[in-house]
């Protein structure tokens, strides 16, 4: 007889949820055991976040059964869910930026000493929670001064303080570096030991093998299969989620690299500590930027794009020196930047897919004081197809798209500009494996057409698989540089890059 050792925390049968024009969940089954890490896997728009929102009471379901710790749930508000022990760590942060860490943790439930807030107790309790996971952090730091990684850890600490029994983590590692991912995984392991169940969403398959016990695959709002992690493999998962086999992970390209198109000499910035960064970029080339989170890669690009002020340094485009004081200058000189923080800077959430994509082309589409709608629609349609953006139509508001599809709109929006130099900051963050491949194909197509790309990525395999050359940064400086012949066929490459990325002394490059 099979031993019934698995207590069920949560069970969902035949859950349906529709939005106008979209069946987000179509008879989905899901079961979560006590103390397990259960991953949800599926392409962008498959319904993963929607399922979590229903579990946490942030969205009502249309039909289906939901049992929580054996109790049948008919309606559930976010507060009720929280009181029942469900905590959600959202894709977008829910912290108050100008409050300190401990103030965020105890917001609305301050510890009191008589009539006064017991600051001391809250600070020591905060320290305690972090120490449990071996993290030393000053509870009096303001959240807005933290890196994304630490914001994420604060979110989780908050859930722990709330005595969560079920923790939903929606792409928690997206903003984290390798080391920070390890801290997070340690946290998850200790939570498991205490019997906390974790629902874990991530597009990084390697992570699922490291952290999850079971994996439920979804596709187009439907339940596909639940597997024990140690009985499956990458190929099977990809096939289940995409519905077909994916052969190569990184598409090959055969592009002749041309002459220098961009040269940066001795760039240093005012606000952030970028020191003496120099590099060149050639026509037809993909130049990768590696480094840990906070190494300064994004800051270099912001300075190049005229967002951040330079302290010193020169920029040459096709051999002649240019002044870039603001993004408009950069765009005029043929540079585009697809930012990392696409929610903040990349897309207009309250505009439609069409409006977002055609925005920068409106001038060209203008004819006799009106927009050539037909041309506009063709243009938008082309990009929706090229990036396989999942949307019921081009008039859908971007805020109603799934996280990954919002990213794709942001990328499309900048590609439309047709610049010669395109900077992509974490272009595949939050994007599913199938769509990643499409983005790589698109990158290859762009360099084939003579453009030059800079790609910042925290995913080492992707950097190695796609870059012609790789620059490595650490603490605002370049600490390493890898040429094409050092990248291809080098089995130790990942280790080499990591070493360069964690080197405190800047090497001669
Ligand atoms: N508020 C909303 N209004 C309309 N449609 C929505 C809304 N929220 C989600 N959808 C749609 O429901 C479907 C499922 O979205 P969901 O966010 O659950 O996907 P996901 O699996 O989390 O994808 P991703 O990996 O991109 O985050 C998508 O087609 C999405 O466009
Ligand atoms: Mg999502």
């Amino acid at each position: 007889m099979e031993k019934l050792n698995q207590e069920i925390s949560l069970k969902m049968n035949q859950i349906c949820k529709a939005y106008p024009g979209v069946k987000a969940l179509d008879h989905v089954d899901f079961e979560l055991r006590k103390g397990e890490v259960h991953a949800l896997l599926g392409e962008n728009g498959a319904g993963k976040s929607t399922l979590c929102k229903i579990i946490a009471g942030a969205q009502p379901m249309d039909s289906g059964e939901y049992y929580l710790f054996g109790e049948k749930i008919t309606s559930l508000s976010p507060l009720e869910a929280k009181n029942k022990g469900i905590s959600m760590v959202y894709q977008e942060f829910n912290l108050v930026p100008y409050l300190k860490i401990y103030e965020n943790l105890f917001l609305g439930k301050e510890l009191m000493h008589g009539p006064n807030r017991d600051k001391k107790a809250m600070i020591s309790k905060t320290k305690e929670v972090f120490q449990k996971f071996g993290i030393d952090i000053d509870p009096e730091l303001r959240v807005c001064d933290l890196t994304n990684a630490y914001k994420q850890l604060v979110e989780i600490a908050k859930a722990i303080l709330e005595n969560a029994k079920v923790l939903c983590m929606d792409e928690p590692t997206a903003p984290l570096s390798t080391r920070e991912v390890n801290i997070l995984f340690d946290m998850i392991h200790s939570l498991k030991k205490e019997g906390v169940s974790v629902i874990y969403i991530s597009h990084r398959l390697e992570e699922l093998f490291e952290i999850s016990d079971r994996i439920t695959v979804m596709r187009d709002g439907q339940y596909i299969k639940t597997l024990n992690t140690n009985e499956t493999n990458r190929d099977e998962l990809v096939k289940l989620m995409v519905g077909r086999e994916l052969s190569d992970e990184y598409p090959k390209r055969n592009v002749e690299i041309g002459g220098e198109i961009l040269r940066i000499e001795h760039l240093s910035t005012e606000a952030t500590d970028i020191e003496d960064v120099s590099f060149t970029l050639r026509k037809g080339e993909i130049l990768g930027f590696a480094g840990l989170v906070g190494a300064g890669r994004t800051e270099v690009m912001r300075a190049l794009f005229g967002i951040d002020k330079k302290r010193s340094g020169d920029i040459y485009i096709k051999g002649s020196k240019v002044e870039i004081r603001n993004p408009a200058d950069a765009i005029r000189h043929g540079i585009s930047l697809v930012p990392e923080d696409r929610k903040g800077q990349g897309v207009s959430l309250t505009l439609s897919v069409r409006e977002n994509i055609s925005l920068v082309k409106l001038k060209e589409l203008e004819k006799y004081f009106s927009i050539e709608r037909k041309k506009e629609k063709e243009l938008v349609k082309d990009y929706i197809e090229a990036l396989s953006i999942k949307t019921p139509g081009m008039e859908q508001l971007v805020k109603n798209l799934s996280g990954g599809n919002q990213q794709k709109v942001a990328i499309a929006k900048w590609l439309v500009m047709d610049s010669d130099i395109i900077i992509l900051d974490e272009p595949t963050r939050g994007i599913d494996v199938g769509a990643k491949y499409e983005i790589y194909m698109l990158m290859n197509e762009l360099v084939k057409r003579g453009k030059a790309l800079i790609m910042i990525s925290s995913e080492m395999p992707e950097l190695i698989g796609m870059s012609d050359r790789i620059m490595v940064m650490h603490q605002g400086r370049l600490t390493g540089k890898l040429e094409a012949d050092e990248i291809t066929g080098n089995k130790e490459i990942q280790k080499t890059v990591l070493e360069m990325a964690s080197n405190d002394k800047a090497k001669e490059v």
Side-chain angles (χ1 to χ4, degrees):
M1 204 178 78
E2 201 188 330
K3 215 169 80 194
L4 260 183
N5 58 350
Q6 298 289 2
E7 253 178 84
I8 306 296
S9 301
L10 184 158
K11 192 159 176 53
M12 311 192 80
N13 300 329
Q14 302 288 301
I15 305 293
C16 293
K17 172 79 189 176
Y19 293 110
V22 188
K23 258 192 189 166
L25 296 177
D26 185 6
H27 299 91
V28 170
D29 294 332
F30 180 68
E31 175 202 270
L32 183 67
R33 294 174 185 159
K34 192 172 169 212
E36 82 164 332
V37 177
H38 195 139
L40 285 178
L41 181 65
E43 291 181 293
N44 297 128
K48 306 176 296 292
S49 296
T50 304
L51 187 64
C52 278
K53 284 177 188 159
I54 290 175
I55 289 173
Q59 285 278 343
M61 57 190 179
D62 296 342
S63 64
E65 293 175 330
Y66 176 4
Y67 295 91
L68 185 57
F69 308 116
E71 177 196 357
K72 185 163 184 180
I73 303 289
T74 42
S75 76
L76 188 72
S77 72
L79 187 65
E80 285 165 341
K82 193 181 253 183
N83 290 338
K84 287 180 193 294
I86 297 183
S87 260
M88 177 116 179
V89 179
Y90 280 97
Q91 250 168 326
E92 49 290 305
F93 298 116
N94 266 331
L95 302 168
V96 186
Y98 292 101
L99 291 183
K100 295 175 178 168
I101 295 178
Y102 81 88
E103 290 170 326
N104 263 287
L105 291 193
F106 288 95
L107 195 63
K109 44 186 188 306
E110 284 82 2
L111 301 180
M112 304 301 280
H113 186 79
N116 303 316
R117 290 166 64 232
D118 192 346
K119 186 174 157 187
K120 241 183 162 167
M122 289 190 278
I123 289 178
S124 80
K125 192 98 188 116
T126 303
K127 273 214 168 103
E128 206 177 287
V129 174
F130 281 103
Q131 261 159 17
K132 201 155 107 184
F133 303 107
I135 302 163
D136 194 24
I137 193 168
D138 177 4
E140 297 206 63
L141 287 175
R142 288 191 310 176
V143 161
C144 57
D145 295 327
L146 299 178
T147 61
N148 276 345
Y150 276 96
K151 283 185 196 154
Q152 184 81 59
L153 298 178
V154 173
E155 281 269 11
I156 295 164
K158 200 168 145 199
I160 293 167
L161 265 178
E162 283 161 0
N163 285 322
K165 288 186 262 185
V166 171
L167 200 58
C168 310
M169 298 188 179
D170 200 344
E171 297 186 43
T173 53
L176 306 189
S177 69
T178 321
R179 206 185 48 205
E180 293 156 338
V181 170
N182 289 335
I183 298 178
L184 176 75
F185 283 2
D186 286 346
M187 279 179 115
I188 294 179
H189 281 302
S190 354
L191 289 172
K192 269 178 68 164
K193 278 198 201 112
E194 291 174 26
V196 175
S197 315
V198 176
I199 301 173
Y200 188 90
I201 302 179
S202 172
H203 288 290
R204 301 185 185 169
L205 290 174
E206 324 82 73
E207 287 182 5
L208 305 195
F209 286 103
E210 209 178 320
I211 197 72
S212 72
D213 300 298
R214 292 196 294 163
I215 302 172
T216 287
V217 182
M218 298 172 68
R219 195 193 317 143
D220 290 330
Q222 289 178 340
Y223 169 87
I224 301 294
K225 198 173 180 182
T226 300
L227 309 109
N228 289 323
T229 308
N230 56 16
E231 289 166 6
T232 183
N233 57 49
R234 189 189 167 91
D235 286 347
E236 184 185 21
L237 289 177
V238 169
K239 199 172 163 194
L240 286 172
M241 70 188 273
V242 185
R244 68 192 140 87
E245 255 172 293
L246 278 188
S247 46
D248 239 347
E249 211 173 328
Y250 305 103
K252 302 253 172 310
R253 66 172 177 272
N254 196 354
V255 175
E256 193 161 334
I257 292 174
E260 170 191 301
I261 186 163
L262 171 75
R263 183 165 86 245
I264 309 292
E265 284 185 356
H266 310 296
L267 175 76
S268 302
T269 59
E270 266 181 13
T272 54
D273 298 316
I274 300 302
E275 269 306 322
D276 197 23
V277 168
S278 305
F279 65 90
T280 57
L281 175 69
R282 293 179 289 225
K283 195 172 164 185
E285 179 178 51
I286 298 180
L287 180 65
F289 267 75
L292 304 176
V293 171
R297 296 167 299 169
T298 297
E299 286 70 19
V300 168
M301 301 313 154
R302 285 172 60 95
L304 165 59
F305 199 63
I307 303 170
D308 292 344
K309 262 214 154 70
K310 294 199 300 280
R311 177 152 41 84
S312 59
D314 297 318
I315 300 172
Y316 297 83
I317 288 182
K318 291 180 190 138
S320 30
K321 193 169 159 182
V322 296
E323 276 310 320
I324 295 178
R325 286 177 218 85
N326 49 50
D329 285 348
I331 291 167
R332 212 167 22 249
H333 287 297
I335 305 176
S336 276
L337 171 79
V338 182
E340 165 188 35
D341 167 21
R342 285 178 269 265
K343 288 251 170 73
Q345 310 155 9
V347 285
S348 313
L349 291 173
T350 52
L351 294 182
S352 68
V353 174
R354 173 180 58 77
E355 288 165 310
N356 264 286
I357 295 180
S358 68
L359 202 62
V360 298
K361 277 281 184 195
L362 285 186
K363 260 242 122 55
E364 278 173 44
L365 290 165
E366 218 171 55
K367 201 176 173 195
Y368 311 118
F369 304 105
S370 69
I371 308 294
E372 282 195 278
R373 287 291 168 211
K374 203 166 149 241
K375 267 206 183 137
E376 183 194 12
K377 285 194 172 140
E378 275 165 18
L379 173 93
V380 174
K381 199 167 146 264
D382 283 350
Y383 279 90
I384 289 179
E385 275 167 17
L387 289 161
S388 53
I389 297 170
K390 197 179 170 226
T391 170
M394 59 176 77
E395 299 307 325
Q396 176 73 297
L397 299 185
V398 168
K399 68 169 186 214
N400 290 338
L401 298 186
S402 77
N405 285 297
Q406 291 182 1
Q407 310 253 37
K408 294 189 206 167
V409 172
I411 294 176
K413 186 177 156 176
W414 285 95
L415 290 185
V416 168
M417 207 125 51
D418 208 22
S419 306
D420 287 337
I421 300 165
I422 304 168
I423 306 166
L424 302 160
D425 197 347
E426 303 283 0
T428 66
R429 173 179 292 172
I431 286 182
D432 69 63
V433 278
K436 266 184 187 163
Y437 192 78
E438 278 148 27
I439 287 182
Y440 300 147
M441 295 271 277
L442 194 78
M443 288 171 69
N444 282 355
E445 179 61 33
L446 289 168
V447 285
K448 210 159 125 197
R449 282 197 259 141
K451 307 201 175 294
L453 308 188
I454 294 176
M455 172 171 67
I456 299 180
S457 170
S458 296
E459 285 188 48
M460 206 75 86
E462 158 179 292
L463 265 186
I464 293 164
M466 289 300 293
S467 309
D468 293 300
R469 288 185 299 141
I470 297 177
M471 314 295 291
V472 188
M473 286 190 73
H474 177 68
Q475 295 188 344
R477 293 164 181 270
L478 282 176
T479 51
K481 189 165 145 186
L482 292 154
E483 297 293 333
D485 55 350
E486 297 173 272
I487 300 173
T488 39
N490 180 351
K491 290 207 180 67
E492 295 281 292
I493 177 99
Q494 197 145 333
K495 205 172 128 226
T496 314
V497 175
L498 259 175
E499 268 165 20
M500 290 171 167
S502 23
N503 190 351
D504 287 317
K505 274 184 279 138
K507 266 192 243 145
E508 218 33 70
V509 291

